[in-house]
Amino acid sequence: MTSPRPMPATPAAPPSEPDGEPGRPRLTRLFPPSSVAARMPRIGQWSPVPPSADPRWRAVGQGPRQRVLAQATASLGRPWPALPASLFARFARDGDRSEYQAGSFARRARLGWAVLATALAHEEDRKDAFADEVMDGVWALCEETTWSLPAHDFRVLGPQHGLLPDPDRPTLDLGASGTAVLLALTDAIAGDELDRRDPLVRRRLRREVSARVLRPYLERDEWGWYDGTTAKLNNWNPWIHSELLLATALTEESDQRRTALVCRIVQGLENYLRAHPRDGGCDEGPHYWWRAGASLFECLETLTSLLGTDDGVFRHPLIRAMARYPVATWIGDGWAVNFADGPARPRETTPALLYRYGRRTGQPEVSAHARALRADADAALPASGAPFDLRRVADALLDTDWHAEPSAQSPLPEHTWLPDTEVLVSRARPGTSRGLLVAAKGGHNDESHNHNDVGTFIVALDARPLLIDAGVGTYRKETFNAERYGIWSMTSEYHNVPRVDGIGQQPGSRFRAVSVAARHSTATDELTCDIAPAYPPQAGLRHWVRTVRLVRGTEERVEIDDSWQCRTPPGSLVLHLLVGGSLTVGPEGGAVVTPPDGRGLHLRWDSSAFTAETETVPLTDPAFTRVWGPAVHRLLLTARRPAAEGRHRLTAQPLPS
């Protein structure tokens, strides 16, 4: 029996927030153990997806159906990707995590496509072929030594520094939880087909999910992502919990253990919300929001459907604010404000999920933005070779409300200020991507997926970033160890912040902005902060007050005002600007930044006080070249006569069309 998720109409304005500490919901009070135990359905009584024989699968459009069948058919009869021990060991040996992950992801995507094909194929002989493929995939995953990924495995990362994982002590990471939910949804959709072949397959599936994921989660306490004891509370918490919740609901046969697991998940989510900024911002950036705020919504969506009550949780101010973050950070035309790790052109958005999030929280502008992100009718399906999330794909395919909605324009708000995250996003004209957009941040240098970037800014013109944050390269071992800040794109020298006496910003929570304030009016938006504490004492800074200002009107422009005071005159003082597009420096303190298409940006500075030189930063990593092409550029403005005190204004103004 399948219980569909409720999709209520847009609710009225939210009431006072549910019981909890100010600004954050207390999930353990909204969903206490007694309520969980009383409301918990037994296994088989609830599922977010129908079984493959259910007629609801016939409502899936012809285009997506044909694409699923073609993708699944292409793999039939081929060997499954191999995952030898030496491939896992590469991470410990040379830092490469991509090759093992590619094979692991390919296996899971192949199983996901086959599961959907069993539901969407009309002909019995094709259904049989796909069901055999599902059986092979389940068996292959159950025979893997580990479901964790090399970069996360406790034995590899721990004091043993092993090459290989210990099958007797599984690590519960994103790879393990993702495999568990894939198998759980396989059970729910294609389990009857597996039983017709051999009930042992389904029994083994459930046993492996329990042994590798559910029991370690319930019985062991070393998961730092759960409570923040050994790791930051970031996207791992809601991402893993969203998968654990479904795996519990669909595969755990013990009523007592089901209740215990759900209660522990509720506490884990409360831990995450307790640490979350009250403004709803995501310090990991928009790229990770889709596995942070979006996964938190999936947890609440599953929890409330499973237990048959929401107790007002979707009306809570924080839950509502989290839904608005991807709207606030959208530049337009595929570009987003990309502070922290993440590309400036996000690839892994899930607009159908954001649409539901907007509806459940009563925010039409969020749902409208989701509709604006929908590229075509097949948008629910990932590109061939991309990671495959069966839960999100199935949700989007079966959401008839989503498919009935026409496209929409993104709201493109004029002004968003996130006082806890310390991020300002402002555009010259609301509702259109035409004109200037500026994004600026304060913050500190120990944020999740941190870059040393306190006081940096992004300037976009006509939905094209021109003064940029380069983003992040392909992840390797060095990305998350002591060598992280040896990577150029993580350093302050390659963000739009100053360097004093050759010294840049340092990592750590004490290196931060202070006296942070934002101001908004019809004519201007601005962020002001003192970024001197982001630098070590050797830089000799008493104050460095930076104001990033957007000026609207006939003289539309961005102004970057810097005012500094040092203990002694510095030996050197350099202002950095990272540029996407061609860069041409002219005489008398001016430069032009030109995108491949469209208007350029005219930069002006005080050439009597600063010299200008340019550098080309060649790019070879596909994570960069996909976004910026073969190179970006750096403009260095160097003080001619560095003084202990000074001030400067940089202006960025659109060129005529």
Side-chain angles (χ1 to χ4, degrees):
M1 174 180 178
T2 302
S3 251
R5 294 191 181 120
M7 179 61 74
T10 300
S16 59
E17 67 183 49
D19 187 23
E21 51 184 273
R24 297 186 178 93
R26 287 290 297 275
L27 298 185
T28 53
R29 294 185 184 177
L30 295 174
F31 307 103
S34 58
S35 176
V36 172
R39 290 179 170 275
M40 177 70 66
R42 305 197 69 179
I43 191 169
Q45 294 180 330
W46 177 92
S47 174
V49 290
S52 60
D54 192 287
R56 277 173 286 180
W57 288 104
R58 293 185 176 268
V60 174
Q62 186 68 8
R65 176 179 173 271
Q66 290 299 332
R67 192 171 151 214
V68 168
L69 297 179
Q71 188 76 34
T73 300
S75 298
L76 293 176
R78 294 185 177 181
W80 286 74
L83 294 175
S86 57
L87 204 59
F88 192 99
R90 279 204 59 185
F91 179 75
R93 285 173 166 164
D94 63 21
D96 184 280
R97 58 191 279 173
S98 299
E99 193 170 351
Y100 183 91
Q101 287 181 180
S104 177
F105 294 164
R107 281 184 167 211
R108 284 146 179 80
R110 180 170 171 177
L111 174 56
W113 288 110
V115 169
L116 287 179
T118 64
L120 296 177
H122 297 163
E123 305 84 2
E124 284 304 316
D125 58 335
R126 297 189 80 187
K127 275 186 175 289
D128 283 343
F130 294 133
D132 278 352
E133 176 88 337
V134 171
M135 180 175 65
D136 286 345
V138 170
W139 209 253
L141 266 58
C142 289
E143 289 187 336
E144 291 178 0
T145 297
T146 183
W147 291 345
S148 70
L149 298 172
H152 307 155
D153 188 83
F154 275 8
R155 187 168 182 273
V156 174
L157 297 175
Q160 289 179 296
H161 298 296
L163 291 178
L164 301 171
D166 182 352
D168 295 327
R169 193 167 179 79
T171 295
L172 176 46
D173 72 329
L174 300 173
S177 66
T179 303
V181 77
L182 170 61
L183 291 174
L185 289 166
T186 299
D187 185 311
I189 296 170
D192 294 341
E193 299 289 341
L194 295 176
D195 281 350
R196 279 191 277 275
R197 278 147 182 80
D198 191 332
L200 176 64
V201 180
R202 202 180 208 174
R203 291 204 305 271
R204 187 180 182 193
L205 179 159
R206 292 183 177 181
R207 185 177 72 238
E208 296 292 345
V209 169
S210 178
R212 297 171 186 245
V213 173
L214 300 183
R215 283 174 52 196
Y217 174 75
L218 197 57
E219 297 170 2
R220 290 161 54 189
D221 289 322
E222 66 248 56
W223 316 120
W225 50 261
Y226 178 83
D227 54 13
T229 51
T230 60
K232 291 186 181 72
L233 284 170
N234 61 13
N235 70 88
W236 276 49
N237 180 297
W239 187 350
I240 291 176
H241 280 131
S242 70
E243 296 170 336
L244 289 174
L245 197 52
L246 273 188
T248 296
L250 297 176
T251 67
E252 178 52 61
E253 297 174 347
S254 163
D255 292 343
Q256 182 179 8
R257 189 170 287 147
R258 283 161 70 80
T259 298
L261 282 161
V262 171
C263 289
R264 183 166 169 80
I265 289 168
V266 168
Q267 178 62 66
L269 294 172
E270 184 171 297
N271 294 340
Y272 176 72
L273 288 171
R274 189 180 297 129
H276 201 281
R278 289 181 173 88
D279 58 22
C282 179
D283 70 357
E284 301 175 84
H287 171 74
Y288 275 104
W289 182 92
W290 293 94
R291 291 300 183 179
S295 292
L296 187 277
F297 169 70
E298 286 177 307
C299 290
L300 298 178
E301 190 179 39
T302 300
L303 186 65
T304 56
S305 179
L306 181 68
L307 301 181
T309 179
D310 70 17
D311 208 6
V313 70
F314 292 111
R315 291 172 290 174
H316 192 283
L318 174 57
I319 304 305
R320 288 168 52 82
M322 290 169 71
R324 296 192 293 270
Y325 181 78
V327 182
T329 54
W330 188 247
I331 295 174
D333 195 27
W335 297 90
V337 174
N338 65 318
F339 298 138
D341 281 358
R345 293 185 70 82
R347 289 198 291 179
E348 295 182 26
T349 60
T350 313
L353 184 158
L354 185 63
Y355 170 76
R356 296 198 311 274
Y357 199 167
R359 290 202 63 189
R360 292 301 296 268
T361 55
Q363 300 181 98
E365 70 279 12
V366 174
S367 293
H369 181 64
R371 289 157 56 198
L373 293 179
R374 181 173 55 193
D376 54 55
D378 292 352
L381 299 173
S384 178
F388 191 97
D389 186 326
L390 181 56
R391 185 233 183 108
R392 293 188 173 183
V393 170
D395 281 348
L397 286 174
L398 294 169
D399 189 341
T400 54
D401 289 336
W402 165 245
H403 293 293
E405 288 277 19
S407 294
Q409 293 294 319
S410 177
L412 300 177
E414 178 182 65
H415 161 86
T416 299
W417 165 236
L418 302 174
D420 301 307
T421 317
E422 297 183 357
V423 168
L424 171 72
V425 183
S426 177
R427 65 181 75 243
R429 306 168 217 173
T432 176
S433 58
R434 182 76 176 167
L436 285 169
L437 174 142
V438 65
K441 72 181 296 291
H444 60 83
N445 282 334
D446 193 34
E447 296 163 344
S448 292
H449 297 275
N450 178 70
H451 293 195
N452 288 341
D453 62 355
V454 172
T456 195
F457 57 89
I458 293 168
V459 177
L461 178 62
D462 300 340
R464 178 61 159 86
L466 295 177
L467 303 181
I468 67 170
D469 187 313
V472 64
T474 301
Y475 281 167
R476 292 181 53 84
K477 189 175 185 178
E478 297 81 10
T479 313
F480 296 106
N481 66 19
E483 299 177 63
R484 177 177 178 87
Y485 296 101
I487 301 171
W488 68 271
S489 59
M490 310 294 186
T491 65
S492 65
E493 285 81 354
Y494 288 88
H495 287 82
N496 300 326
V497 296
R499 188 173 69 217
V500 182
D501 260 346
I503 298 169
Q505 296 182 12
Q506 296 295 296
S509 60
R510 68 189 181 93
F511 297 101
R512 61 190 313 115
V514 297
S515 303
V516 181
R519 299 171 186 86
H520 170 64
S521 71
T522 303
T524 62
D525 277 319
E526 66 181 38
L527 171 66
T528 298
C529 57
D530 184 352
I531 64 174
Y535 293 78
Q538 304 92 287
L541 285 174
R542 295 186 189 275
H543 304 287
W544 190 296
V545 178
R546 165 162 283 187
T547 298
V548 180
R549 181 184 303 110
L550 173 69
V551 180
R552 300 184 178 90
T554 56
E555 295 294 322
E556 181 181 312
R557 62 193 182 275
V558 174
E559 298 172 345
I560 313 298
D561 287 345
D562 287 312
S563 174
W564 61 89
Q565 184 180 67
C566 305
R567 287 191 291 271
T568 59
S572 65
L573 191 153
V574 184
L575 306 177
H576 296 99
L577 290 173
L578 199 64
V579 172
S582 63
L583 174 63
T584 304
V585 175
E588 300 182 3
V592 172
V593 182
T594 308
D597 298 296
R599 289 193 292 171
L601 197 64
H602 184 207
L603 306 179
R604 296 195 305 274
W605 60 87
D606 182 356
S607 60
S608 66
F610 286 83
T611 63
E613 60 180 310
T614 64
E615 294 178 355
T616 297
V617 183
L619 304 175
T620 56
D621 186 329
F624 290 125
T625 59
R626 181 187 70 83
V627 178
W628 306 114
V632 293
H633 304 279
R634 193 165 64 146
L635 176 63
L636 298 98
L637 304 179
T638 302
R640 296 179 184 274
R641 293 171 295 279
E645 295 186 29
R647 59 180 60 242
H648 180 261
R649 172 173 288 182
L650 171 79
T651 303
Q653 196 162 15
L655 291 170
S657 299

